[in-house]
Amino acid sequence: TPITFSAQVTERGSAVSSYNWQFQFGSPNQSANPSPSVVFSQLPATVSLTITDNDNHACIVSQNVTSAPPSNQLKRRIFRER
């Protein structure tokens, strides 16, 4: 059963330029889509997301997936330092 992930970003300043998902034991094992659907060959598995904005600021967050719920969300905000 596929699990759909959703990157929800609150922008401050520069817009998001890229999403880079990495899925341990996932198919696909990576994605640039903000809301990818993934099938895992085994659980638990680690999911990592790197979000980069137009000013090249990056934010990385990881989460362990231990079961297959209807959906998971990784939430992280990108803040520019002033």
Side-chain angles (χ1 to χ4, degrees), residues 8-25:
Q8 297 179 350
V9 179
T10 302
E11 298 173 20
R12 286 192 172 179
S14 188
V16 171
S17 63
S18 69
Y19 299 89
N20 181 6
W21 292 90
Q22 301 291 318
F23 304 102
Q24 180 186 32
F25 311 123

Side-chain angles (χ1 to χ4, degrees), residues 1-6 23 26-28 30-31 33-40:
T1 302
I3 299 175
T4 301
F5 293 83
S6 178
F23 304 102
S27 179
Q30 61 183 1
S31 177
N33 186 325
S35 300
S37 292
V38 181
V39 175
F40 291 94

